[in-house]
Structures are given as structure tokens and as C-alpha cells.
Amino acid sequence: MLSLMAVDDDPLSLDLVQDALALMGLHILTALNGAQARRVFAKSRPQIVILDLMLPDVSGLVLLSEILQMAPDTDVILLTGHYTPESAVEAIRDGACDYLTKPLKIGALRARVKELIHDAQQRQQALRLEGELLEANRFQGMVGRSPQMLALFALIKRVAPHFRVALVRGATGTGKELAAQALHASSPAATGPFVIANCSAITETLFESEMFGHMKGSFTGATNDKKGLFEAANGGTLFLDELGDLPPAMQSKLLRAIQQQEIKPVGSTATKKVSVRVVAATNRPLEAMMRTGAFREDLYYRLSMVEIFVPGLAERMEDFPFLVRHFVAQFAADYGKKLSGMTPRAQALLARHDWPGNVRELENAIGSACMMAYGEFVDEQDLPPFFQRQAGPALITAPPAGVELLSLELLNQRHARAVLEHFEGNKSKAAKVLGVTRSTLYRLLGEG
Ligand SMILES: Nc1ncnc2c1ncn2[C@@H]1O[C@H](COP(=O)(O)OP(=O)(O)OP(=O)(O)O)[C@@H](O)[C@H]1O
Ligand SMILES: [Mg+2]
């Protein structure tokens, strides 16, 4: 039987939790302060903890980190007095799986705990798979060996068992969709569907019908009942691609569906319950868009509880040889050619490019080279003309050792991103270390 510990210095609030969860088949333990909570936790190891952030003897965040230290798998829901997205976001980064605001709504608490029970049961199975998933230099189909990518794999593994919503950010072609798939495949919903909704391709009028479905006859052309993408993703993950392209009016409808896990098809009066994990992706500067009202803050705060940055290829050239090998093998199989790899000089020519189109651009270049190749190894003359030596003097004059030919702006941007990466996306900490304001940091990151 799963057990749950509720920690709160207010006995009435503990009673409320006990009553609300009484019939869910859980063993419920309670603690009135941090010291009691530590004893109860150490003795009974509950799988789920509901933790008030404000305790008399110890900060809830400290207790959270102690609990996760002892048992990283624990699902911890935080209770916060006021709506404080910043501290909640921080807590989620520290490993809490969600937060609820006080006064507690019994329905929301029950729904959340029910999901956690389900997840805890499935986690056992996911854990068994995990060992098989992490081969060398590769995680769930993503190739990578740089510290940034290893950190990204670790982050995905850490949040995948718990997340309900996540936001994947990064420049074009960096692998955002792949990261979203990795999140899904490592989550308890891995056996459910992974449904892609492209927010930039959906017109405003058709958006609701696409997302939430419609009833026959609800508008001209609605000749049949139609299931929306939310329903199609039930029990799995909905990938909202290019979310930054969605108009604000649609954003609020989306937020409601995400938060309430409930949809209303166009032309229907009844709502339907769904259970959908949502991963959104964008390369747009959401912070700047929020300032102009083009992106809704409430949606951003909901999604950014788990925020994953996929770094540009130029910032992680350690991955380059592994990606080259991966793509050569992939295209060799696609084209049915016997290709063993790429010659070092061809690879060196490719490595001089700065890859603004990131991994997708590299994939395309290698795809074309593999098509041209007739030897066992892809060589210089197989590369697209742009990369060959005669393409221009800039490509053959090597810079002095340890110097990369890049602008100060790009250098600043890379450094700012590296520092941000180090703090796992915590912008306040990164800004402090860089000695700049948060808004300067956004500008440095190219998001301002
Ligand atoms: N780490 C990686 N390992 C192997 N393949 C990768 C990796 N990253 C990206 N790719 C490949 O590069 C291509 C682009 O990746 P993906 O579509 O995930 O990028 P994206 O960030 O969603 O791009 P866009 O912003 O243009 O939508 C895909 O074919 C993907 O399989
Ligand atoms: Mg994409």
C-alpha cells in the first residue's frame, strides 16, 4: 500500500487533507513540524508528501531537499500560502512535482494525488527500463556527449517521472522535438500516445476544433463528430510545437484545458475529462513577448515549471564527431550504401562552420554528402560546395590556437548561456554571477 505524509503546522489543515484523501487507499501519516516530519519520513518512507512551505522550525524548501536526498523518487506537492510563481518554480526545479495554493481545494488535491498514485505504480516499470535506455553517448535517440547534453539528459531523466507540463526552448534545429519525445518516452505515460500539435500551422478559427474536437453540425463543414488533439493524446503526451506562434486568445483556452485537464468540443455543452501531459516547444523570445502582451504570463508560468534549454550546436562542438558518426550511419542505412564514416579532413572542414541551423543543418549537409559519396568514407569532394576548401579564404585560414573567430556579441551570448546552464536555467542566479540585471541577461541570451 502506498503511504502519504502531510506536513503542516495547522492541525485543521491536516484534518482537511486526511478527510479529502480518506478513501483513496493510502496510508496517511501526519507531521506538525519539520522535526516530526523527518522522523516520520525516515521511519515510514512515504512515496507521496504534501508539504507546507511555511513551517515553524524549518523552511519547507530545506525539508524538500532533505527528503529528496533520502529518497529522490518521492513525489512532493508543496502548499503555498500565496500565489508565488517564482518560489514555486524554484521548488519545482529543486525537485517538487507540483504546488497547490492555500486555501486548499479538495477537488484539486484529490485529482493530483490520484495522478501521483497512478504514476508511482508505473514508475516501478519505468525504472526497470531505465538501465537499458542509456547507452554510451546517446539517450532516447538523442546523441550527445558534451557536458551540456549530459546535463540535459540528466534533467530529462529527473523530471520525466513527475512532470505534467514542460517547456522546451532552444534555437531552430537544436533538437527540441527530440527532447520532447525523450521526455515522453522516459515518463510513466510512455506507453500512451505522443501527439504533435503544430501551433503555427493551425488557423485561429480552426484552433478550438483541432484541439478540443467538434460535434457534427456545430459549424458549416462539420459533417461528423471529430475528436480533438487533446483527446487523441489522452493517457499520453501532447506536444505543442511552435507555441510562441499562438495568438493570446488561443493561449488562454489552452491554459484552461491544461490546468483543468478538461475539454469542451465545439458545439457540445458537456465537458470531457482527459489526462494529458503537455510539452510545449518554442524558439521565440517569450520574455520579450510577455512584455508586449504577445504571450500570456499565466501560461508561461504554468509551462515553465519545467523549462528545458537545448543549446545550439556551436556551443557544444564536443558532440560534433558523435553526431557526424550517427548521421553517416543513418544515411548509409537509408541509402543502402556501405559507408564507414567520414575522413578527418572532411570532418574538419565541416567543424569550421558555425551551424546557425544547428543539428538539422548538419543532418542535411551530411545527408547530401552521403548521397554523393562513392568511397568507403565520406570525403572532402562529397561535401556540399559551400564547405569545400575553394569556398573562400575564410574557411582555410585557421585562427590562432585557442581562438575562435566569432563576434563579441556571440561570445557574450555563449558565456551567458553557459552560466545559465550551470544554474540549470535559474536566471536570478545566473544574472547575479554575471553581474548584470535580469533584463540585461535576457538581452545577452538573445531573448530581449
Ligand atoms: N542530439 C541529437 N541527436 C541526433 N539527432 C538529432 C539531435 N538533435 C537533433 N537531431 C535531429 O535533427 C533534426 C532537428 O531536430 P528537431 O526537429 O528535434 O529540432 P527542433 O529544435 O524541433 O527544430 P525547429 O525549431 O526547427 O522545429 C531532427 O531530424 C532530429 O532527429
Ligand atoms: Mg521542431
Side-chain angles (χ1 to χ4, degrees):
M1 181 164 161
L2 294 174
S3 50
L4 174 148
M5 172 173 78
V7 189
D8 199 319
D9 60 335
D10 173 6
L12 288 176
S13 171
L14 286 180
D15 285 349
L16 183 78
V17 172
Q18 272 184 307
D19 289 348
L21 305 179
L23 296 173
M24 299 184 77
L26 286 167
H27 180 51
I28 299 183
L29 308 150
T30 56
L32 284 161
N33 53 49
Q36 255 184 25
R38 285 183 184 124
R39 274 198 304 277
V40 172
F41 189 85
K43 182 159 168 266
S44 310
R45 287 299 170 105
Q47 289 84 359
I48 304 172
V49 174
I50 297 180
L51 178 59
D52 190 0
L53 266 182
M54 303 285 264
L55 293 172
D57 55 340
V58 54
S59 132
L61 286 178
V62 170
L63 199 55
L64 168 70
S65 78
E66 288 178 9
I67 286 174
L68 293 175
Q69 190 89 39
M70 276 191 270
D73 257 7
T74 316
D75 286 315
V76 183
I77 300 181
L78 293 172
L79 301 183
T80 58
H82 328 273
Y83 183 72
T84 49
E86 294 260 343
S87 66
V89 165
E90 208 139 305
I92 300 277
R93 290 228 171 86
D94 288 348
C97 61
D98 204 351
Y99 69 93
L100 295 171
T101 47
K102 284 183 162 186
L104 260 182
K105 293 193 198 67
I106 291 185
L109 176 67
R110 270 200 198 125
R112 198 64 190 87
V113 169
K114 202 167 140 199
E115 285 165 358
L116 292 181
I117 294 173
H118 181 250
D119 290 358
Q121 287 162 345
Q122 297 217 311
R123 197 165 313 132
Q124 229 47 43
Q125 189 192 346
L127 267 182
R128 239 181 303 116
L129 289 172
E130 188 182 328
E132 298 157 28
L133 297 176
L134 191 59
E135 301 166 45
N137 311 323
R138 186 181 290 260
F139 171 70
Q140 298 283 30
M142 303 186 82
V143 174
R145 158 70 175 269
S146 58
Q148 295 98 313
M149 289 305 275
L150 294 182
L152 187 124
F153 299 164
L155 178 63
I156 291 179
K157 281 201 331 184
R158 181 147 57 85
V159 301
H162 307 288
F163 84 101
R164 304 300 299 184
V165 290
L167 179 60
V168 184
R169 304 184 65 178
T172 177
T174 46
K176 294 185 295 296
E177 184 166 338
L178 222 46
Q181 279 168 345
L183 262 173
H184 169 72
S186 316
S187 82
T191 50
F194 181 82
V195 174
I196 300 177
N198 190 338
C199 300
S200 68
I202 295 178
T203 65
E204 203 163 325
T205 25
L206 279 180
F207 173 83
E208 273 192 89
S209 142
E210 286 285 342
M211 286 291 174
F212 311 129
H214 64 238
M215 309 298 286
K216 181 180 174 176
S218 54
F219 53 88
T220 322
T223 49
N224 284 304
D225 285 1
K226 188 185 146 192
K227 249 204 218 178
L229 295 174
F230 258 91
E231 212 178 336
N234 199 5
T237 303
L238 180 61
F239 177 54
L240 299 171
D241 204 4
E242 318 286 356
L243 178 76
D245 295 355
L246 201 66
M250 304 300 107
Q251 292 166 18
S252 63
K253 295 197 165 133
L254 202 56
L255 177 63
R256 200 172 324 125
I258 292 172
Q259 255 167 343
Q260 310 194 333
Q261 293 282 299
E262 199 173 81
I263 50 161
K264 193 156 96 184
V266 177
S268 164
T269 47
T271 56
K272 285 187 190 170
K273 273 282 172 201
V274 289
S275 170
V276 173
R277 281 162 206 261
V278 170
V279 182
T282 185
N283 57 13
R284 304 273 301 257
L286 298 185
E287 289 78 5
M289 291 170 69
M290 279 191 284
R291 285 196 292 276
T292 61
F295 199 83
R296 292 182 60 105
E297 288 197 17
D298 48 6
L299 180 59
Y300 174 76
Y301 282 123
R302 174 51 51 173
L303 293 172
S304 65
M305 292 209 287
V306 174
E307 202 169 12
I308 294 177
F309 286 89
V310 188
L313 179 55
E315 293 160 53
R316 47 174 163 113
M317 286 302 276
E318 296 99 313
D319 295 333
F320 197 76
F322 297 97
L323 286 166
V324 169
R325 205 181 305 156
H326 166 73
F327 287 130
V328 171
Q330 178 188 304
F331 286 110
D334 282 1
Y335 301 151
K337 281 187 169 181
K338 261 184 93 65
L339 283 169
S340 305
M342 186 179 283
T343 62
R345 66 180 169 181
Q347 191 168 305
L349 285 172
L350 289 183
R352 287 182 188 173
H353 183 48
D354 57 1
W355 300 104
N358 295 297
V359 185
R360 176 176 295 108
E361 188 187 3
L362 178 65
E363 182 178 18
N364 291 340
I366 295 181
S368 137
C370 288
M371 195 180 294
M372 302 303 288
Y374 51 81
E376 188 189 346
F377 288 87
V378 176
D379 205 352
E380 188 181 338
Q381 72 275 1
D382 306 323
L383 300 179
F386 175 81
F387 296 100
Q388 295 182 25
R389 266 169 233 262
Q390 52 272 39
L395 279 176
I396 43 176
T397 318
V403 174
E404 277 184 80
L405 297 177
L406 43 83
S407 67
L408 286 174
E409 191 187 348
L410 190 58
L411 190 69
N412 279 340
Q413 188 187 60
R414 279 196 200 170
H415 181 64
R417 285 196 182 158
V419 171
L420 185 62
E421 210 82 58
H422 174 80
F423 289 112
E424 300 194 345
N426 186 320
K427 296 211 171 81
S428 311
K429 288 186 187 161
K432 209 161 158 195
V433 163
L434 291 166
V436 299
T437 61
R438 278 172 69 106
S439 58
T440 307
L441 176 61
Y442 287 130
R443 196 175 46 70
L444 284 172
L445 291 168
E447 298 173 0

